[in-house]
């Protein structure tokens, strides 16, 4: 569900039980690690009304089992193991605290991280990622408030990918954007809007704008299903206040 630099490249500042990166962010690619988490959603009202059984069962915190309910395709139960498995009664807060928080908060220490949801239509991707986003940003602002010795700047951008077309969700224009590879910048989207955030409420408003602009449609499983991919990017820059404006000033990004 995400990737961060390995433990060898960072030092952790354990603050009120929260693990936050406190070291440099120059870990080599060999130290990157990817974690795969699985969250099982409960049956929907429609599925319950149709009498459909649950085919997935969480055996423990890392193992999930599939039992086919199709009489014409009987198969033996199959177990799969992942870094973490969350049963249908787990809240999004639990998913964030136990599986995402360490990855998400690594950005305050200058480490790039990514958290994304993958699954079929109506599997709960938007629901889960909305909650994860809220928890992540709340914790980032909490970290900022507790570290007044550093000056922080947060920037936000958002894109939608629909039918192989990239669109700026913070722009009223519907013009497709171009994707470029640059030796210094890496992969970037040309002419993408990037907004400097004032506070948490400002970001909430921008996310609402993004949700309103996303393409949705009705499916057999979901009356209002997201029909596109959405990517939210939060850039966190910080500098030690005592060195601001001086030659020794360095910025973590």
């Amino acid at each position: 569900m995400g990737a961060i630099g390995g433990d060898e490249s960072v030092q952790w500042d354990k603050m009120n039980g929260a693990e936050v990166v406190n070291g440099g962010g120059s870990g080599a690619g060999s130290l990157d690690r990817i974690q795969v988490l699985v969250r099982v959603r409960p049956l929907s009202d429609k599925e319950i009304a149709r009498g459909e059984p649950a085919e997935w069962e969480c055996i423990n915190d890392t193992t999930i089992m599939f039992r086919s309910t199709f009489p014409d395709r009987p198969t033996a139960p199959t177990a799969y193991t992942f870094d973490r498995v969350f049963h249908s009664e787990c809240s999004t807060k639990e998913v964030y605290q136990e599986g995402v928080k360490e990855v998400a908060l690594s950005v305050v220490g200058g480490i790039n991280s990514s958290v994304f949801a993958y699954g079929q239509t109506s599997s709960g991707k938007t629901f889960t990622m909305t909650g994860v986003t809220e928890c992540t940003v709340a914790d980032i602002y909490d970290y900022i408030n507790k570290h007044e010795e550093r000056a922080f700047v947060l920037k936000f951008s958002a894109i939608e990918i629909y039918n192989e077309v990239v669109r700026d969700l913070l722009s009223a224009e519907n013009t497709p954007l171009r994707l470029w590879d640059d030796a210094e910048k890496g992969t970037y989207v040309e002419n993408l809007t990037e907004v400097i955030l004032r506070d948490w409420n400002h970001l909430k408003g921008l996310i609402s704008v993004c949700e309103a602009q996303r393409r949705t449609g009705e499916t057999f499983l979901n009356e209002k299903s997201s029909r596109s991919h959405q990517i939210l990017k939060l850039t966190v820059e910080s500098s030690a206040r005592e060195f601001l404006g001086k030659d020794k000033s360095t910025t973590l990004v």
Side-chain angles (χ1 to χ4, degrees), residues 120-160:
Q120 71 177 63
T121 296
S122 194
S123 59
K125 300 183 296 296
T126 300
F127 177 83
T128 296
M129 291 305 294
T130 298
V132 165
T133 301
E134 291 177 354
C135 291
T136 299
V137 178
D139 276 349
I140 288 176
Y141 272 107
D142 181 62
Y143 180 89
I144 291 173
N145 292 333
K146 292 178 178 178
H147 290 75
E148 297 181 355
E149 75 280 2
R150 299 192 68 82
F152 286 87
V153 176
L154 272 62
K155 301 176 183 179
F156 177 73
S157 60
I159 63 173
E160 175 188 61

Side-chain angles (χ1 to χ4, degrees), residues 192-248:
L192 180 64
T193 302
E194 188 172 55
V195 179
I196 296 177
L197 299 177
R198 296 189 299 270
D199 51 35
W200 185 191
N201 289 327
H202 185 200
L203 178 56
K204 286 181 180 179
L206 293 176
I207 291 177
S208 296
V209 170
C210 296
E211 289 301 320
Q213 294 225 64
R214 285 193 72 186
R215 289 173 171 81
T216 60
E218 183 175 355
T219 68
F220 176 74
L221 294 171
N222 199 341
E223 292 181 359
K224 189 177 180 182
S225 175
S226 302
R227 308 311 301 152
S228 65
H229 302 290
Q230 178 181 241
I231 300 176
L232 306 181
K233 179 182 177 182
L234 184 67
T235 302
V236 181
E237 300 178 2
S238 71
S239 304
R241 293 187 187 275
E242 62 177 309
F243 295 124
L244 287 178
K246 300 179 181 179
D247 293 338
K248 295 182 178 179

Side-chain angles (χ1 to χ4, degrees), residues 57-86:
E57 179 185 355
C58 296
I59 305 302
N60 51 45
D61 286 347
T62 58
T63 307
I64 188 170
M65 181 172 289
F66 174 74
R67 293 185 174 89
S68 175
T69 59
F70 290 96
D72 56 334
R73 287 185 292 169
T75 58
T78 306
Y80 302 90
T81 299
F82 298 92
D83 292 300
R84 186 70 165 83
V85 170
F86 298 92

